[in-house]
Amino acid sequence: MSDEQPDSGEDPFAASDSIVVAADPETVFAFLDDPANHAAITPGLTDVRDVEPLDNGGKRLAYTYRMPGIGMDGEIVQTVHEPPGRHVFELRGRLTGTIDLRLAPVDGGTELTYAATYGLPENALTRVGAPVIRRFNERQLRAALENVAARFDGA
C-alpha cells in the first residue's frame, strides 16, 4: 500500500487540506471512527444510517448528501481502517470517489489531512461547471477540518 497522498492538481473533483487538532491521534481517530460524527462535521451530509461493521474494522453505511440543487443518496465503504493513522472511504452511488483521512502526531496534537476525489453526476457538472465545483469542494473540505478541530478546542 502506498503512502502517497492524492494530488488534487487541477482536477475540479479533487481537494486536499490539513489542520492541527488539539488532541492525540488516538482520540481524533476514535472521533472520526464514529459515523454519527461525520454527519455532525461534514457540511451537506444530512443523514447517516444502516451502519454495518466490516471485517477490516471499518464500516459500511448509507448516507444522504445535499449540495446546491442536488440531493444524493449513496453508500460509503471504509476500505482502510488503520488506527490511529488512517481512514479511507469509498463513496458509491450518484456521488462516487474516495476520502482519505490521515492523522500524524505533531506538537500541539494531531495533523489531520483530508484528501478527497469525487465523481459527480454529469448533469451536476453541466449545470454548475468545473470552477464552481472545485471551489465548493475546497470550501466543504476546509469546513469539515475546521469542524473537527473545533470539537477539540479547549479540551
Side-chain angles (χ1 to χ4, degrees), residues 11-55:
D11 184 346
F13 306 112
S16 181
D17 202 350
S18 62
I19 198 166
V20 173
V21 178
D24 60 76
E26 291 79 9
T27 301
V28 178
F29 187 94
F31 176 82
L32 293 170
D33 203 28
D34 181 346
N37 290 334
H38 287 271
I41 60 144
T42 305
L45 187 59
T46 60
D47 186 33
V48 171
R49 62 195 174 279
D50 304 329
V51 178
E52 300 173 13
L54 298 174
D55 291 340

Side-chain angles (χ1 to χ4, degrees), residues 5-16 116-117 134 138:
Q5 294 205 18
D7 176 16
S8 62
E10 292 302 312
D11 184 346
F13 306 112
S16 181
T117 303
R134 181 177 186 80
E138 289 169 349

Side-chain angles (χ1 to χ4, degrees), residues 116-152:
T117 303
Y118 304 106
L120 295 173
E122 189 63 33
N123 61 344
L125 176 58
T126 303
R127 214 174 11 225
V128 298
V132 172
I133 290 172
R134 181 177 186 80
R135 285 191 305 274
F136 177 81
N137 286 343
E138 289 169 349
R139 282 193 312 269
Q140 295 289 93
L141 187 146
R142 186 69 200 169
L145 285 171
E146 289 173 356
N147 290 339
V148 171
R151 294 292 173 132
F152 296 97

Side-chain angles (χ1 to χ4, degrees), residues 50-138:
D50 304 329
V51 178
E52 300 173 13
L54 298 174
D55 291 340
N56 68 358
K59 295 160 189 71
R60 174 190 320 269
L61 57 96
Y63 71 91
T64 300
Y65 183 80
R66 299 210 177 282
M67 59 187 293
I70 302 168
M72 293 175 267
D73 289 320
E75 177 183 65
I76 296 175
V77 177
Q78 190 168 13
T79 57
V80 176
H81 183 266
E82 297 174 350
R86 191 169 180 212
H87 294 279
V88 178
F89 305 93
E90 180 182 324
L91 291 90
R92 300 174 180 172
R94 288 184 65 208
L95 178 64
T96 60
T98 59
I99 297 171
D100 189 346
L101 303 175
R102 295 177 186 245
L103 299 89
V106 295
D107 286 344
T110 300
E111 181 178 43
L112 173 61
T113 301
Y114 187 135
T117 303
Y118 304 106
L120 295 173
E122 189 63 33
N123 61 344
L125 176 58
T126 303
R127 214 174 11 225
V128 298
V132 172
I133 290 172
R134 181 177 186 80
R135 285 191 305 274
F136 177 81
N137 286 343
E138 289 169 349

